[in-house]
């Protein structure tokens, strides 16, 4: 969602800075909750990285930052379901090769306008033995307090939509088309389901595999919404065969954990190409 409501009064919180080996602001907790899939050293064997490969490199899906931000909120005592993520900008792809590791290092400052300005960096250790870790900036995002929960009030006749769809594509074929562009999905990063194309919109039925139970917004689900938009993205690319990586999104809110079977709708009018970008 990209609406802009007036921010509500933020909770009383202190400036937070987190580095590996130090505690965060919430009773000795680190940057992520205990058992979080983003805590500690991350290698190429991480289930998200190992099952999402772009140009033969393990790559964090851009929309996985949503869960990273929500996990940070939970560790800091912020209710993930009463915040809105805005203006997430990705500065470089987060990739891992066979011998590299990284540890996420989020830091945040409460600004005068009531939003947390969160920077997501990582201590990256290279493949050479004894290599000192380097701090790399990957993304920035605004975290706004919000009491206006997202609500979907429409009644969607899914059975009827399936019947009037102009085309129907299963996820296996959608993933195959992404593979031709150099992006491979497997294991826990591969959903099943169907993509129904209608005149003005596309409905995506997403059935995620069983995976890490501690996600708040399962990366495979939000990634599958992009996979399911393959027809729209190819049309916006005007036949150009290339892989577009996410750089920015305007806003995102959730009222409950996004971990199970769900549906996504993308209106054709909301996707277009501007120069080198698809927006």
């Amino acid at each position: 969602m990209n609406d802009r409501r007036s921010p509500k009064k933020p909770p009383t919180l202190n400036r937070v800075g987190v580095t590996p080996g130090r505690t965060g602001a919430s009773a000795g907790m680190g940057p992520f909750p205990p058992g979080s899939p983003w805590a500690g050293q991350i290698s190429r064997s991480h289930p998200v990285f190992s099952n999402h490969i772009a140009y033969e490199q393990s790559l964090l899906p851009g929309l996985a930052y949503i869960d990273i931000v929500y996990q940070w909120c939970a560790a800091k005592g912020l209710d993930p379901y009463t915040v809105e993520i805005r203006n997430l900008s990705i500065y470089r792809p987060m990739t891992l090769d066979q011998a590299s590791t990284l540890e996420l290092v989020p830091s945040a400052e409460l600004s005068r306008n009531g939003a947390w300005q969160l920077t997501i960096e990582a201590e990256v250790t290279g493949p050479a033995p004894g290599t000192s870790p380097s701090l790399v900036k990957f993304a920035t995002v605004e975290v706004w307090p919000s009491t206006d929960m997202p609500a979907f009030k429409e009644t969607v006749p899914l059975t009827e939509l399936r019947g009037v769809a102009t085309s129907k594509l299963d996820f296996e074929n959608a993933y195959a088309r992404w593979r031709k562009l150099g992006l491979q999905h497997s294991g826990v990063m591969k959903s099943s389901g169907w993509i129904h194309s209608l005149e003005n919109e596309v409905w995506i039925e997403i059935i995620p595999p069983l995976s890490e139970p501690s996600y708040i917004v399962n990366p495979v689900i939000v990634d599958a919404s992009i996979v399911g938009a393959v027809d729209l993205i190819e049309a916006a690319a005007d036949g150009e065969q290339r892989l577009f990586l996410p750089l920015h999104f305007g806003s995102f809110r959730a009222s409950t954990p996004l971990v199970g079977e769900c549906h996504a709708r993308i209106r054709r009018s909301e996707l277009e190409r501007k120069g080198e970008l698809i927006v």
Side-chain angles (χ1 to χ4, degrees), residues 99-142:
S100 298
T101 62
L102 62 83
E103 184 169 355
L104 294 174
V105 185
S107 61
E109 183 176 355
L110 186 60
S111 63
R112 292 181 179 180
N113 60 14
W116 286 97
Q117 305 294 329
L118 178 62
T119 299
I120 301 174
E121 299 174 305
E123 292 267 3
V124 181
T125 302
T131 301
S132 298
S134 57
L135 189 64
V136 179
K137 181 178 180 180
F138 285 98
T140 58
V141 62
E142 301 170 10

Side-chain angles (χ1 to χ4, degrees), residues 33 62 100 161 216 261 276:
S100 298
L161 288 176
I216 297 173
E261 182 175 345
E276 290 296 303

Side-chain angles (χ1 to χ4, degrees), residues 6-18:
S6 298
K8 303 297 185 291
K9 183 178 179 180
T12 302
L13 294 170
N14 297 320
R15 179 177 176 140
V16 176
V18 180

Side-chain angles (χ1 to χ4, degrees), residues 239-268:
E240 186 177 355
Q241 296 294 303
R242 58 181 291 192
L243 187 60
F244 290 83
L245 298 178
L247 299 175
H248 178 271
F249 63 82
S251 65
F252 183 91
R253 289 181 296 166
S255 56
T256 61
L258 189 59
V259 292
E261 182 175 345
C262 64
H263 298 80
R265 177 176 67 182
I266 302 176
R267 294 186 175 93
R268 296 183 184 276

Side-chain angles (χ1 to χ4, degrees), residues 75-97:
K76 297 297 157 277
L78 296 170
D79 183 349
Y81 311 117
T82 60
V83 300
E84 179 179 357
I85 297 172
R86 295 185 190 174
N87 296 321
L88 192 149
S89 298
I90 301 173
Y91 292 86
R92 55 177 52 82
M94 187 180 291
T95 60
L96 283 170
D97 59 30

Side-chain angles (χ1 to χ4, degrees), residues 5-233:
R5 296 181 173 86
S6 298
K8 303 297 185 291
K9 183 178 179 180
T12 302
L13 294 170
N14 297 320
R15 179 177 176 140
V16 176
V18 180
T19 56
R22 299 181 185 176
T23 58
S26 298
M29 184 180 289
F32 301 106
S36 167
W38 310 113
Q41 289 287 326
I42 296 175
S43 69
R44 195 175 183 179
S45 64
H46 187 282
V48 172
F49 282 91
S50 63
N51 290 291
H52 190 260
I53 310 295
Y55 302 130
E56 301 183 355
Q57 286 188 300
S58 295
L59 171 69
L60 180 78
L63 294 183
Y65 280 103
I66 295 173
D67 189 70
I68 291 174
V69 174
Y70 277 2
Q71 299 265 352
W72 176 86
C73 289
K76 297 297 157 277
L78 296 170
D79 183 349
Y81 311 117
T82 60
V83 300
E84 179 179 357
I85 297 172
R86 295 185 190 174
N87 296 321
L88 192 149
S89 298
I90 301 173
Y91 292 86
R92 55 177 52 82
M94 187 180 291
T95 60
L96 283 170
D97 59 30
Q98 198 65 43
S100 298
T101 62
L102 62 83
E103 184 169 355
L104 294 174
V105 185
S107 61
E109 183 176 355
L110 186 60
S111 63
R112 292 181 179 180
N113 60 14
W116 286 97
Q117 305 294 329
L118 178 62
T119 299
I120 301 174
E121 299 174 305
E123 292 267 3
V124 181
T125 302
T131 301
S132 298
S134 57
L135 189 64
V136 179
K137 181 178 180 180
F138 285 98
T140 58
V141 62
E142 301 170 10
V143 181
W144 288 80
S146 176
T147 56
D148 296 326
M149 286 297 95
F152 187 83
K153 298 180 179 180
E154 297 180 39
T155 299
V156 181
L158 290 173
T159 301
E160 294 179 21
L161 288 176
R162 296 184 187 109
V164 300
T166 56
S167 67
K168 179 179 178 180
L169 181 71
D170 63 43
F171 260 95
E172 190 59 46
N173 283 307
Y175 284 120
R177 286 162 67 174
W178 285 104
R179 281 197 299 273
K180 291 181 180 179
L181 299 176
L183 180 61
Q184 300 181 51
H185 301 77
S186 59
V188 298
M189 285 303 298
K190 196 172 183 181
S191 286
S192 58
W194 295 92
I195 301 113
H196 305 278
S197 294
L198 287 82
E199 181 180 358
N200 298 316
E201 59 193 19
V202 172
W203 278 91
I204 307 167
E205 296 185 61
I206 303 169
I207 306 172
L210 294 175
S211 61
E212 173 63 53
S214 55
Y215 289 122
I216 297 173
V217 175
N218 193 334
V220 67
I221 293 176
V222 285
D223 184 70
S225 67
I226 301 300
V227 171
V230 60
D231 281 341
L232 300 181
I233 293 173

